[in-house]
Amino acid sequence: MLEGILTNARILIVDDQKVNNILLETILEQNGYPHFKSLTDSRQVLETYAEYQPDLILLDLMMPYLDGFAVMEQLSSVIPADTYLPILVLTADATPEAKRRALSSGAKDFLTKPLDAVEVILRVKNLLEARFLHLQMQNQNQILEEQVRKRTAQLAESETKHRILIEQIPAITYIDNPVIGPGETQFVSRQIEGILGITPKEWIEGGIDLWLQTIHPEDRKRTLAEYMRHYQSGEPFNFEYRFVARDGRTIWIRDTASVLRDEAGKPSQIHGIMLDLTERKLAEEALQATTQLMETIFDNTHILLAYLDPQFNFVRVNHAYAAADEREPSFFPNHNHFDLYPDEENRKIFQKVVDTGEAHFAYAKPFKYAEHPERGETYWDWSLAPIKGADGKVKGLTLALLNVTERIKAEETLRLQSAAMNAADNIILITDERGVIQWVNPAFTTQTGYSAAEAIGQKPSILKSGMHDAAFYKDMWHTILAGQTWE
């Protein structure tokens, strides 16, 4: 289900080099992401964002007019604070300073050119998963908040317009005569016809037999037993059961009744009200289904998730979190986070989130398992978000962690490979499947006389002349291209 949602995501590509945009479009399209829009003019980003409403932005840093940092600054002024819009920065500048500046400017991830197609898709998928999980949780919070708001409004109205509300609510009021016998109704309100399709006259004349016949067969036995206990003991009756209306609908009812006694203490009347709970029951079922969905997402996502109280005691963790620590989820509740993972720097961060109510995000954070030194150093992207109550105070924390060790190692490998290729004495170049040159190393310029800017985006047929005669280039390209020729 989530996979289908991700492939419908809208992706905005911003790079002043058209060839880079074409490369990214090809990678996205080949991997099932057909919805994208490309810009080469960074001045158009703000207007395009408002019209296109992308779910992910792939952003180059070094561009004319507005560089990537300026674009992110513009976007931050129009993107709401509670909106998670991931920005994946693409740049040839692999310096730590560039990475730190990009991430602090609003980027959620960082890729160094030249791009690896597999790594691009993995980063895109991870960021889109995070966005849609955030949207899902945000949407559920909005639904719950709206339900709370509506319920609060209903309660306020009940205080100011009590009589009008009583007349309008789907409730049946009735009076029984216990002197005559059980279920002998003297009065029933007109709402019974709207709820059950039975007229007040029919209900009174039908007595206890009609009441029993209208009760859902599965509830009939237990409801009658509870009613007879109430009738014989004189104790209040407060019971939920189902009716089957004349049109076949199932109606949930809360039936509440109290015995009124005469001066001698004998039962004289039973006053009751039957309240229609059907909508509430349906809402409860819908909420239960939504809760189960959220539980399923919580327990089955590969992202490590944990709920903590404001004192940093674990309330619950998902399976991924427990598995990463080689424990069962049941181990964590009532254990304090910092008893298991002592770290004073992190404790200060956790306390700041509790004090300020503002979320904290960290990327590629190194970590060593004290109990598992054989694992070596691992790296994690993690976030700590506050859970606030109606009073605005932090009632708990949500901790989410994503193991990015392989990504960090891949980046380091890529960096070393890039350095080695740049330092090589031999010509090294990269073309796409069409034979278009995408990258060349310095030795290319030294030995051919063509600069990288002259070669990139061209086919080998441009090499008609240079520092050597035509035969040199012909033989060289025949070797490089394994006998293929592109004219």
Side-chain angles (χ1 to χ4, degrees), residues 188-406:
V188 63
S189 65
R190 58 183 175 81
Q191 283 93 332
I192 192 168
E193 187 168 5
I195 294 174
L196 298 178
I198 301 172
T199 67
K201 182 180 179 181
E202 289 175 316
W203 189 262
I204 292 171
E205 291 177 352
I208 193 170
D209 291 336
L210 180 56
W211 176 64
L212 286 173
Q213 291 171 12
T214 310
I215 295 174
H216 194 286
E218 295 178 4
D219 296 347
R220 194 171 293 154
K221 185 176 179 180
R222 66 184 184 89
T223 305
L224 178 60
E226 180 63 18
Y227 180 80
M228 292 308 296
R229 182 201 64 77
H230 145 74
Y231 178 79
Q232 293 167 0
S233 67
E235 295 177 358
F237 179 71
N238 190 352
F239 207 61
E240 290 185 10
Y241 56 94
R242 290 169 291 176
F243 278 133
V244 179
R246 283 269 172 87
D247 60 6
R249 291 177 299 115
T250 298
I251 306 295
W252 273 97
I253 290 290
R254 169 171 284 173
D255 194 344
T256 305
S258 298
V259 176
L260 298 182
R261 301 180 184 275
D262 59 20
E263 293 180 358
K266 294 180 180 182
S268 61
Q269 285 186 334
I270 296 175
H271 285 202
I273 181 170
M274 291 187 286
L275 181 64
D276 187 346
L277 301 180
T278 308
E279 289 188 8
R280 194 202 76 185
K281 287 290 185 180
L282 292 175
E284 287 175 353
E285 291 174 2
L287 180 60
Q288 183 180 17
T290 302
T291 301
Q292 289 175 349
L293 173 62
M294 298 306 297
E295 294 284 341
T296 300
I297 294 173
F298 180 87
D299 286 330
N300 293 287
T301 180
H302 67 285
I303 299 174
L304 279 60
L305 296 173
Y307 294 149
L308 299 91
D309 66 21
Q311 289 73 46
F312 318 134
N313 298 307
F314 284 101
V315 176
R316 183 181 175 192
V317 304
N318 69 349
H319 294 298
Y321 193 104
D325 215 27
E326 295 186 4
R327 302 183 193 272
E328 291 298 321
S330 58
F331 166 82
F332 289 87
N334 300 320
H335 280 81
N336 190 276
H337 180 277
F338 293 102
D339 288 342
L340 299 179
Y341 317 110
D343 188 317
E344 286 306 311
E345 180 183 350
N346 277 354
R347 182 188 289 274
K348 293 177 182 178
I349 292 172
F350 278 48
Q351 190 60 54
K352 183 178 179 181
V353 172
V354 171
D355 293 341
T356 65
E358 297 179 357
H360 177 84
F361 300 90
Y363 301 94
K365 181 85 171 182
F367 177 76
K368 290 184 178 180
Y369 286 89
E371 297 182 12
H372 303 286
E374 73 280 359
R375 296 186 186 181
E377 191 168 54
T378 56
Y379 294 85
W380 299 83
D381 286 350
W382 63 275
S383 66
L384 189 67
I387 303 172
K388 298 180 181 180
D391 58 0
K393 294 182 179 179
V394 175
K395 306 298 182 182
L397 301 167
T398 300
L399 176 63
L401 303 100
L402 181 64
N403 192 331
V404 294
T405 304
E406 294 303 318

Side-chain angles (χ1 to χ4, degrees), residues 148-158:
V148 170
R149 187 195 66 77
K150 288 181 178 179
R151 183 58 180 157
T152 302
Q154 289 173 352
L155 292 174
E157 185 178 1
S158 71

Side-chain angles (χ1 to χ4, degrees), residues 76 101 122 169 171 174 237 353 360 409 432 463:
S76 67
R101 186 181 174 193
L122 288 174
I169 62 172
Y174 63 91
F237 179 71
V353 172
H360 177 84
K409 290 180 179 178
D432 63 15
L463 299 177

